Amino acid sequence: MADNEAIVAASARFPKPRDVTFQYGTAGFRMKADLLDSVVFRVGLLAALRSRKLNGQTIGVMITASHNPPADNGVKLVDPMGEMLEESWEAEATKLANAPSDRDLALHYETLTNDNQIKPNVQAKVIFARDTRASGAHLVNILTEALQAAKAKFTDYKLLTTPQLHYITRCLNTEGTIYEYGQPTEQGYCQKVASSLKAAMQGRQFNGAVTVDCANGVGGPKLRELIKHLPSPSEGGLEIKVVNDDVVQPEKLNHQCGADYVKTNQRAPPSTHASPFVRCASLDGDADRIVYYFNDLDGSFRLLDGDRIATLAASFIGDLARSAGLGEKLKVGVVQTAYANGAATAYVTQDLRLPVVCTATGVKHLHHAATKFDVGVYFEANGHGTVVFSELALKRIAKSQPNSPAESAALDTLRALTALINQTVGDALSDLLLVEVILAHKNWGPKEWDLTYIDLPNRLVRVEVADRSIFKAVDAERKLESPPGLQAQIDAAVGKFKNGRSFARASGTEDAVRVYAEAATRSETEDLAQKVATIVRQAGG
């Protein structure tokens, strides 16, 4: 294990910028790349400590800023089972990142070691990868210096999507156990996805091609690599038309393309050029989000976002469980945030008759809630999500004996889905193929999918305030307990609109409050959003 002097000497090359405060959140650390040198170094130290704390299990480090502009970058840690960093360690990451001097950093490092009773002689193991941003290679060099100072054993997996790194981390930590997740390589990932896709299809045919916008990010080359492992269209495989996969010019990353662009602007990327009713999908910069969309006959844009993917998956898996004779043995549930469209929630509870749980915004909250079900389906509206199968559910699915050919077919499909879905984290490539399998089984195009329910008109308004900290939310961020009396004013405004719903929550990164509103019509929604925004603005000073 590193001694303090080695840490001080190495850290001196990457001093913390003055007057900058860092905060580890759901996305890790994310900001302008030129501010990240000291942060990445300190994350490397923390990764080594985390590994030692967990008796030498492998910890992952991903360098990415997802859907952010090309000038940004970020870094986050991945825990042994491919999940996000344990929440209590987020605070430790923040402390290390904000240590004002190299000596203070070494002291924090020593304190963290002692407080957690970390054994210095345990060999730390860390793996890492990056996306295609121009700053990535430089930050990787800094990360390796930190891992060398911490005397950690490490492996550089070069360019990967974020979900692929999560997958490999889990594979390494389960290798040789009864929980073995797969071969810990990119090729192993592709082979697992390809074989499970074939098994899940059960001989059904895909309904035409799907056009995939890769946000000019790492998802482009990784999707093309995955396609090499899939059956070709002439062999009955899925035709995937890849667009926006230019990673040679880093400045094109997320520019007028990608899942965030589509969701925010409610329009297809200009480069898509899709004909009516052609299925289109957009990934984000590190390929952990996906949204679908299509153009109607009249040219109108129709978005099929994370809510739609969640309802599609929950409906199909619930039907499969019943068809496999496991309907009473598998509790399927859906996890949403307050941003989920009210029509989606009503569809799940009233039409699918499945339970819905609402959590605070942030994938870690949704993932945790999803693990409480036998089969937990979670997607944020932005397209980040997955399906999680409990250990008990996996055992029941594996050991179940069918009583008919129909039960056998449903069971085989269900088993294949447990392998096709990347259960560690939202994975745009895996989710893409999951959606395509379901549409093929249902013999649906995007129009039929879109008609499952009608979204309530909704509006998101950003309100600048003097101090966002005075806005304190409760009830999964659907209500404000502070400032006093503000929620009563919002409730009074909502009560005047048919199907009205609105909430306000403070931004996690800037002095602003985001107001979400829904109502029966577009004009009423706009009216409600502006009324609540005015209430918030007056309260915020």
Side-chain angles (χ1 to χ4, degrees):
M1 185 168 173
D3 58 56
N4 282 3
E5 291 307 315
I7 290 174
V8 169
S11 175
R13 293 192 288 278
F14 315 107
K16 177 187 176 297
R18 292 183 179 180
D19 304 320
V20 178
T21 301
F22 302 111
Q23 177 70 45
Y24 193 102
T26 299
F29 295 108
R30 191 177 292 179
M31 64 206 73
K32 294 296 182 187
D34 56 10
L35 294 174
L36 270 172
D37 287 13
S38 67
V39 172
V40 169
F41 180 84
R42 294 162 188 220
V43 165
L45 298 181
L46 189 71
L49 280 181
R50 182 70 177 154
S51 176
R52 289 192 174 98
K53 170 63 178 175
L54 299 175
N55 296 314
Q57 291 188 84
T58 300
I59 297 297
V61 179
M62 186 69 199
I63 295 177
T64 180
S66 187
H67 58 278
N68 281 36
D72 291 0
N73 215 324
V75 60
K76 61 183 176 181
L77 289 97
V78 180
D79 260 359
M81 290 303 285
E83 72 273 49
M84 294 186 177
L85 179 67
E86 183 183 303
E87 193 165 0
S88 64
W89 278 65
E90 291 182 7
E92 302 299 349
T94 298
K95 286 180 188 175
L96 280 183
N98 289 299
S101 70
D102 304 321
R103 290 287 174 189
D104 288 318
L105 172 63
L107 182 60
H108 277 304
Y109 185 86
E110 184 177 1
T111 301
L112 185 56
T113 302
N114 295 334
D115 288 352
N116 285 275
Q117 300 177 325
I118 294 171
K119 298 174 183 176
N121 59 342
V122 172
Q123 177 62 66
K125 295 190 284 290
V126 178
I127 66 169
F128 53 88
R130 64 182 178 91
D131 69 12
T132 55
R133 292 167 188 273
S135 57
H138 167 70
L139 295 175
V140 160
N141 289 336
I142 295 172
L143 179 64
T144 58
E145 290 207 34
L147 295 173
Q148 288 167 348
K151 297 183 179 177
K153 182 180 179 182
F154 58 87
T155 304
D156 181 359
Y157 278 82
K158 311 296 182 184
L159 294 177
L160 288 178
T161 70
T162 293
Q164 286 175 332
L165 184 77
H166 283 253
Y167 164 87
I168 290 171
T169 303
R170 183 164 178 167
C171 290
L172 287 168
N173 287 302
T174 56
E175 204 169 14
T177 73
I178 60 172
Y179 305 107
E180 191 161 319
Y181 199 60
Q183 182 185 343
T185 62
E186 182 185 349
Q187 184 178 19
Y189 169 91
C190 292
Q191 290 172 342
K192 180 179 180 179
V193 169
S195 62
S196 57
L197 174 66
K198 182 179 179 181
M201 283 298 290
Q202 294 279 308
R204 285 170 173 79
Q205 297 299 307
F206 292 105
N207 185 18
V210 59
T211 298
V212 183
D213 153 36
C214 295
N216 293 318
V218 69
K222 298 311 173 184
L223 177 55
R224 289 196 181 278
E225 182 61 33
L226 176 58
I227 289 171
K228 295 177 185 176
H229 293 77
L230 303 179
S232 68
S234 63
E235 299 169 319
L238 175 64
E239 183 181 358
I240 302 174
K241 297 180 178 178
V242 180
V243 299
N244 295 327
D245 64 334
D246 183 354
V247 296
V248 176
Q249 302 178 75
E251 67 275 9
K252 288 190 173 183
L253 175 67
N254 296 320
H255 179 65
Q256 292 193 331
C257 59
D260 194 60
Y261 172 88
V262 171
K263 175 69 174 170
T264 302
N265 293 283
Q266 296 287 302
R267 57 168 292 183
S271 55
T272 303
H273 306 304
S275 302
F277 301 122
V278 169
R279 298 190 309 286
C280 298
S282 283
L283 320 181
D284 68 340
D286 64 339
D288 65 357
R289 294 187 194 178
I290 184 169
V291 294
Y292 268 74
Y293 47 93
F294 68 99
N295 290 320
D296 222 327
L297 265 181
D298 62 1
S300 60
F301 174 80
R302 303 294 300 171
L303 177 67
L304 299 160
D305 62 5
D307 290 344
R308 295 279 181 177
I309 297 172
T311 55
L312 183 72
S315 171
F316 185 63
I317 292 170
D319 287 346
L320 273 182
R322 285 185 290 272
S323 299
L326 292 169
E328 299 300 317
K329 295 181 179 179
L330 295 179
K331 184 180 181 183
V332 180
V334 176
V335 184
Q336 299 177 328
T337 71
Y339 288 106
N341 194 279
T345 307
Y347 176 71
V348 175
T349 57
Q350 297 170 21
D351 292 71
L352 303 184
R353 298 189 179 280
L354 295 175
V356 171
V357 171
C358 186
T359 73
T361 304
V363 175
K364 64 184 177 184
H365 300 299
L366 285 96
H367 192 96
H368 179 72
T371 62
K372 305 300 182 185
F373 293 103
D374 294 323
V375 184
V377 181
Y378 75 86
F379 277 84
E380 292 186 294
N382 63 23
H384 192 158
T386 189
V387 182
V388 181
F389 294 82
S390 72
E391 187 179 330
L392 179 61
L394 291 172
K395 285 181 179 177
R396 284 177 171 164
I397 293 168
K399 293 181 178 180
S400 182
Q401 296 295 319
N403 295 313
S404 69
E407 281 194 6
S408 179
L411 201 54
D412 286 345
T413 302
L414 194 54
R415 287 169 178 159
L417 290 188
T418 66
L420 175 63
I421 295 165
N422 186 346
Q423 297 180 51
T424 65
V425 72
D427 182 342
L429 303 186
S430 165
D431 291 338
L432 169 77
L433 298 179
L434 171 64
V435 168
E436 292 299 322
V437 165
I438 297 172
L439 294 179
H441 273 262
K442 288 180 173 288
N443 196 25
W444 279 4
K447 182 78 170 178
E448 290 81 6
W449 182 12
D450 187 43
L451 289 173
T452 49
Y453 62 86
I454 300 172
D455 274 324
L456 287 168
N458 58 88
R459 180 84 160 88
L460 188 62
V461 178
R462 178 181 173 276
V463 181
E464 291 188 6
V465 295
D467 180 9
R468 70 180 185 273
S469 68
I470 67 171
F471 294 88
K472 300 191 183 303
V474 294
D475 187 23
E477 301 176 328
R478 291 176 288 189
K479 301 283 185 184
L480 286 172
E481 65 175 6
S482 175
L486 184 58
Q487 186 59 49
Q489 295 180 57
I490 295 173
D491 291 342
V494 168
K496 297 175 182 177
F497 293 86
K498 182 181 177 181
N499 295 334
R501 183 170 76 93
S502 183
F503 65 91
R505 64 180 287 271
S507 166
T509 57
E510 55 185 341
D511 277 324
V513 172
R514 291 184 170 85
V515 171
Y516 179 88
E518 288 177 1
T521 67
R522 177 65 62 190
S523 61
E524 287 179 307
T525 299
E526 184 66 34
D527 192 12
L528 175 58
Q530 294 306 325
K531 280 182 166 57
V532 175
T534 298
I535 292 169
V536 168
R537 193 174 291 110
Q538 290 171 347

